[in-house]
Amino acid sequence: MKKIQTNFFCKSNHWPKRMIKIKKIVSKVLRNKNLGFKKNNNYFLNLIFLNDKAIKKINKTYRKKNKATDVLTFVNFIKKNNEVYCDIFFSAETIKKDAKKNYINFYNHITHLIIHCFLHVNGYDHQNIYSFKKMRELEEKILMNLDIKSPYLL
């Protein structure tokens, strides 16, 4: 039987007023069957909400990119116990800038990013055009089920 445990950590003053709504979004997204969570795995998802300075440091340390980014996802699968441990870092500043630049509602944008990260947790990637299209189609399908327009059509 699959277990998905989510933990929320707020490490920036950009997030506290948004956390109640974000927790509801995560709960709603997790009810979607298209995310690829496997029945016999147990998932431990840490969602960590930071600012640009903190995410830039993580991005530099682990990806060798000296810049802020919207989200970083790190996944560790322990085969012996069928356990998946994930740390997903979000930066409100970058997400807000990107949403504004693309004329997208902040919460619709973060919903898309949460879906995107959860697909990464389940092995989806965008390393080539085929995998990018497959992941994009799934993202759009899930967003449509949540009555959110595809960000790729803007």
Side-chain angles (χ1 to χ4, degrees):
M1 177 95 170
K2 166 181 65 176
K3 174 176 117 180
I4 301 174
Q5 178 182 319
T6 55
N7 299 301
F8 295 84
F9 301 93
C10 187
K11 302 288 185 179
S12 164
N13 62 1
H14 293 281
W15 290 102
K17 65 182 181 213
R18 296 180 169 111
M19 293 311 297
I20 291 171
K21 189 159 184 162
I22 289 170
K23 287 177 181 181
K24 287 178 185 175
I25 290 168
V26 168
S27 178
K28 203 173 187 181
V29 168
L30 284 172
R31 287 194 292 268
N32 194 291
K33 304 290 185 230
N34 295 311
L35 290 167
F37 287 101
K38 294 170 184 56
K39 283 185 202 172
N40 25 340
N41 287 349
N42 290 315
Y43 296 86
F44 302 92
L45 309 173
N46 293 319
L47 287 79
I48 304 118
F49 298 88
L50 309 168
N51 59 25
D52 273 356
K53 184 178 177 183
I55 207 163
K56 179 180 179 180
K57 188 175 180 179
I58 295 166
N59 203 17
K60 184 177 181 181
T61 301
Y62 295 100
R63 298 185 64 233
K64 309 295 183 238
K65 295 184 179 185
N66 191 23
K67 66 178 187 170
T69 188
D70 52 3
V71 64
L72 292 169
T73 305
F74 298 95
V75 181
N76 190 4
F77 179 68
I78 299 176
K79 198 171 189 171
K80 178 181 171 187
N81 301 331
N82 284 350
E83 293 178 340
V84 182
Y85 293 88
C86 308
D87 290 325
I88 305 170
F89 299 90
F90 297 89
S91 175
E93 294 160 290
T94 299
I95 293 168
K96 189 175 178 182
K97 279 186 258 175
D98 291 347
K100 187 175 182 178
K101 181 177 78 178
N102 294 309
Y103 306 100
I104 301 171
N105 171 282
F106 177 86
Y107 292 103
N108 287 352
H109 187 44
I110 198 156
T111 301
H112 175 229
L113 293 173
I114 290 166
I115 292 165
H116 186 87
C117 292
F118 288 172
L119 289 173
H120 276 312
V121 166
N122 290 300
Y124 291 90
D125 66 38
H126 36 83
Q127 297 300 321
N128 59 52
I129 193 69
Y130 172 77
S131 59
F132 169 80
K133 285 181 179 180
K134 185 176 179 179
M135 190 170 178
R136 175 183 161 171
E137 286 173 13
L138 260 175
E139 289 172 8
E140 289 176 321
K141 182 178 184 176
I142 296 165
L143 287 166
M144 191 173 66
N145 288 339
L146 297 170
D147 291 324
I148 298 173
K149 292 180 184 178
S150 169
Y152 298 106
L153 302 176
L154 303 174

